[in-house]
Amino acid sequence: MGKAKVSTRIDEVQVVGQKKGVSVGYVVAVIVICLFAAFFLFPFYWMITGSFKPMASITASSLEIFPSTLSIMNWEKLFKYPAFKWLFNSMFTAFGTMVLVCLTSAMAGYSLAKKQYPGREALFWLFVGMMTLPRQVLLVPLFTMVSKWDWLDSYQGLIFPAVGWPFGVFLMKQFSQTLPTELLEAAKIDGCSEFRTFWDIVLPLVKPGMGALAIFTFMTSWNDYFWQLVLIQSTPMKTLPLGVAGLQMEWGTDYGLLMAGGTASSLPMIVVFLAFQKYFTKGITLGAVKG
Amino acid sequence: MKKKSLQVRIREWLPGYMFLLPAMFFFILFVVYPMIKGIIISFYNYTATSYEFNGLGNFIFLLKDEVFIKSLQNTILFVIGNVPLVLIFSLFVSIVIYNKSEFTRSFFRAVFYLPAVSSIVTISIVWKWIYSPRGGILNKIIESFGAQPINWLGDERYALTAMIIILFTLSVGQPIILYIAALGNIPKDYIEVADLDGATAWQKFTNIYWPLILPTTLYIVIITTINSFQTFAIVQLLTGGGPFYRTSTILFSLYKSAFELQNYGLASAMGVILSVIVVIISVIQYKYLSTDVEY
């Protein structure tokens, strides 16, 4: 299309522009950003090394940026608690929420974007309107509701209320709008049933959007501290962050143990994030697209 | 076009409704219904022992309650402190790195998004250790310069600022990702023309970048404001609202009235007040900031 040629020329102009004017200011800006990056990374470095520090070096008054002695005592102490059960609870909750959100949102998004029926606009705005309201306002009524149903301390209590949140529907509606209508009509003419059309044509096409939504939901569920705090009451049903928060209440100053707990509860999410960074980015930018 | 019979039309609409049904079911049961219920409860004197209509009683009580007023003020201070920091910092980072290599972009994106992605409990307890009056690294550094140690979270003068710094690290990740995407979408020939005309960096910023990313800025201001209003976990885990209610927020007050005092009516009234404030602010910001956006 001849576009490649134009863009190389622009790149050259840009490079020249940078070399000309910005050198000092630019170098300062980069240094500032690197300093901030160090400031953001430091707590993680401090936490991970802290989890391997023996009590003596945690409480020592000297400034010890690099640990002199390492021990696994804190980790042994952490696993005296049901930390693996907590990990399982977090994983199961996040995964369950993710699957349900993705499926219901993909269906609803397809319906709102591509189907014609009365009330469609109104229903879409009902979903979007509720998204700006603080979710925590639902805390008291949700709590009284699920306790009446005997759902306290249960997986269904952790998972189902989170599935109601309309962000996924909004995101999948945005994404489904890009589907070619002709393709869906062709499937209809070929005699595809509604469900087949959705399952075999729509779902594969919205997969990138669903990937973004999946990652996003997983993260939100993993970090949904407020709801977990009020819902879960027994130690074995705690999620990992909640369990670690409990250690904080119990052993407020045993920082070695707390750092081991903190490392354990953030590591799974950090690994997921680094592996799927592309989808995170996509989920965040897709959600910001105006309807 | 021939008008179809109602029966035919309903059959055509049905699949649309069917696909919407599962999401709608969860949405009505776990969002719409509790929301209505929450508004109703806010007009009741609803505690462990009583459930009776109280009119505006809860709201009148809250507007006179010193602790709640303080929590409201603190929540606003969290917003006022955090939003400009987030906006300026994320814009600065994004402008410097948006046209760099994919590796550079993903590296900084990842670094600044890391606090938001790792558990909020983790961030809270690490910072609690950093700020700790005894053995915390911040005080160790200060002491190595010969200064007196400071009780960062326990001293009225520093507590709120110390908390805002944590909130800031939790908030910047998403805006940076949004800004990098928005800046990347600006047509390259705009910049080319400006360069040929010999525009300075500042001129390019005010005449090209800023107007074109204004919708993104609007979105960032709104979500950061809403998120700052919802500050809870760091308060619950780090200060318990102290010292002297200096760091208590509306949500923390709400949590305390509901689950420590079992005053559900009062807690719901706080929820309603919080929602009303958030909605009003989003509407104002949207109206005010979107008037300039025309292209």
Side-chain angles (χ1 to χ4, degrees):
Chain A
M1 281 184 85
K3 223 177 176 180
K5 227 184 209 168
V6 176
S7 65
T8 41
R9 201 159 57 85
I10 291 165
D11 288 345
E12 278 162 25
V13 172
Q14 270 194 327
V15 170
V16 172
Q18 276 163 16
K19 273 183 187 158
K20 246 196 323 193
V22 274
S23 49
V24 176
Y26 179 70
V27 168
V28 172
V30 169
I31 291 171
V32 170
I33 287 174
C34 288
L35 286 175
F36 269 101
F39 172 73
F40 272 66
L41 285 175
F42 178 77
F44 293 94
Y45 167 79
W46 201 234
M47 172 180 76
I48 294 165
T49 52
S51 77
F52 290 106
K53 282 178 186 166
M55 188 70 98
S57 92
I58 295 253
T59 50
S61 60
S62 61
L63 185 58
E64 199 179 271
I65 299 285
F66 303 102
S68 54
T69 43
L70 295 177
S71 92
I72 56 161
M73 187 195 76
N74 297 315
W75 287 90
E76 283 173 352
K77 207 165 162 188
L78 176 68
F79 286 108
K80 290 208 177 95
Y81 290 85
F84 279 114
K85 178 74 193 322
W86 294 345
L87 177 68
F88 171 80
N89 293 341
S90 274
M91 287 283 182
F92 185 78
T93 302
F95 200 77
T97 311
M98 180 185 97
V99 169
L100 280 173
V101 167
C102 283
L103 208 62
T104 57
S105 303
M107 288 169 71
Y110 165 61
S111 164
L112 289 167
K114 291 292 171 189
K115 294 284 174 190
Q116 300 294 333
Y117 48 86
R120 190 182 67 153
E121 285 286 293
L123 288 170
F124 175 66
W125 285 110
L126 180 67
F127 276 116
V128 176
M130 290 295 189
M131 248 164 45
T132 48
L133 283 169
R135 196 175 181 170
Q136 289 85 346
V137 172
L138 311 175
L139 186 77
V140 169
L142 267 182
F143 179 78
T144 52
M145 212 165 112
V146 299
S147 47
K148 215 174 279 167
W149 296 347
D150 247 337
W151 274 17
L152 294 180
D153 249 358
S154 72
Y155 292 116
Q156 60 267 38
L158 283 171
I159 294 172
F160 290 141
V163 179
W165 199 244
F167 174 76
V169 175
F170 173 69
L171 193 100
M172 291 314 291
K173 192 243 176 188
Q174 301 292 7
F175 203 82
S176 305
Q177 259 164 349
T178 61
L179 297 178
T181 308
E182 300 81 16
L183 190 68
L184 302 173
E185 275 165 5
K188 202 174 178 184
I189 291 164
D190 287 348
C192 239
S193 71
E194 289 287 347
F195 185 74
R196 273 287 300 270
T197 311
F198 174 74
W199 197 260
D200 288 343
I201 297 168
V202 176
L203 267 194
L205 287 173
V206 296
K207 245 187 205 157
M210 272 215 328
L213 178 61
I215 296 288
F216 216 75
T217 317
F218 195 90
M219 181 182 83
T220 311
S221 172
W222 192 277
N223 286 329
D224 190 8
Y225 175 70
F226 201 3
W227 178 241
Q228 296 172 357
L229 179 70
V230 299
L231 185 83
I232 301 302
Q233 288 157 348
S234 73
T235 306
M237 271 309 288
K238 280 182 178 174
T239 57
L240 191 49
L242 201 59
V244 173
L247 299 180
Q248 206 259 145
M249 299 298 171
E250 200 178 338
W251 304 98
T253 49
D254 189 348
Y255 287 112
L257 170 66
L258 292 178
M259 293 310 115
T263 308
S265 57
S266 57
L267 212 57
M269 274 319 303
I270 293 175
V271 169
V272 168
F273 169 60
L274 293 178
F276 298 105
Q277 208 202 131
K278 201 176 77 189
Y279 291 101
F280 270 90
T281 313
K282 192 166 211 156
I284 288 166
T285 43
L286 256 181
V289 176
K290 290 169 282 2
Chain B
M1 214 164 79
K2 235 172 78 179
K3 203 163 190 298
K4 293 171 186 165
S5 75
L6 187 66
Q7 217 183 349
V8 173
R9 273 187 292 164
I10 287 176
R11 205 177 305 144
E12 273 176 9
W13 297 335
L14 204 59
Y17 289 123
M18 296 290 280
F19 280 114
L20 194 62
L21 191 68
M24 211 66 200
F25 169 78
F26 284 103
F27 179 59
I28 289 177
L29 190 60
F30 294 113
V31 178
V32 178
Y33 172 71
M35 188 142 312
I36 296 167
K37 191 93 191 278
I39 294 170
I40 294 172
I41 293 175
S42 71
F43 294 110
Y44 277 77
N45 180 12
Y46 182 6
T47 61
T49 51
S50 80
Y51 187 78
E52 58 197 30
F53 189 71
N54 192 18
L56 290 171
N58 290 325
F59 294 95
I60 292 166
F61 176 84
L62 286 177
L63 293 178
K64 287 182 187 158
D65 181 36
E66 254 176 71
V67 175
F68 180 73
I69 297 292
K70 198 125 200 220
S71 303
L72 186 68
Q73 285 171 347
N74 291 334
T75 309
I76 292 167
L77 286 175
F78 270 108
V79 175
I80 294 175
N82 189 40
V83 175
L85 277 183
V86 168
L87 202 67
I88 293 167
F89 182 73
S90 56
L91 187 57
F92 168 68
V93 171
S94 312
I95 283 187
V96 177
I97 64 173
Y98 88 96
N99 58 0
K100 297 295 162 296
S101 69
E102 177 58 36
F103 175 81
T104 313
R105 267 181 297 154
S106 14
F107 173 77
F108 285 108
R109 237 174 11 205
V111 167
F112 293 122
Y113 197 58
L114 215 50
V117 84
S118 39
S119 144
I120 194 153
V121 173
T122 298
I123 300 299
S124 301
I125 59 178
V126 179
W127 277 98
K128 190 174 184 182
W129 185 25
I130 292 173
Y131 281 143
S132 163
R134 257 169 234 170
I137 181 152
L138 195 56
N139 276 343
K140 283 184 188 174
I141 293 170
I142 285 178
E143 281 171 275
S144 72
F145 286 107
Q148 286 297 309
I150 291 169
N151 187 359
W152 296 102
L153 294 170
D155 189 319
E156 240 191 307
R157 286 167 295 174
Y158 306 107
L160 194 75
T161 312
M163 298 288 272
I164 288 175
I165 291 171
I166 306 176
L167 186 62
F168 165 74
T169 67
L170 287 165
S171 312
V172 292
Q174 197 173 347
I176 288 176
I177 290 172
L178 289 169
Y179 267 141
I180 290 177
L183 290 164
N185 286 337
I186 293 177
K188 292 262 190 296
D189 37 341
Y190 288 16
I191 313 293
E192 183 194 17
V193 169
D195 278 330
L196 290 176
D197 288 348
T200 63
W202 179 250
Q203 283 171 327
K204 274 191 282 183
F205 175 74
T206 51
N207 294 316
I208 302 171
Y209 293 117
W210 181 249
L212 287 178
I213 58 172
L214 206 55
T216 307
T217 305
L218 166 71
Y219 182 76
I220 289 171
V221 169
I222 291 177
I223 56 161
T224 311
T225 306
I226 292 177
N227 290 339
S228 311
F229 260 107
Q230 302 186 14
T231 308
F232 168 74
I234 54 174
V235 177
Q236 198 255 346
L237 288 163
L238 287 185
T239 61
F244 308 110
Y245 303 105
R246 191 76 184 90
T247 58
S248 177
T249 59
I250 301 181
L251 266 190
F252 183 70
S253 281
L254 189 159
Y255 169 79
K256 266 179 88 166
S257 352
F259 298 101
E260 281 175 21
L261 309 170
Q262 253 109 46
N263 194 336
Y264 297 118
L266 205 60
S268 287
M270 290 182 199
V272 170
I273 292 175
L274 178 66
S275 312
V276 169
I277 295 173
V278 165
V279 168
I280 289 175
I281 286 184
S282 327
V283 170
I284 292 174
Q285 285 178 337
Y286 191 79
K287 281 246 160 84
Y288 174 70
L289 284 164
S290 60
T291 44
D292 300 26
V293 189
E294 255 178 57
Y295 69 102

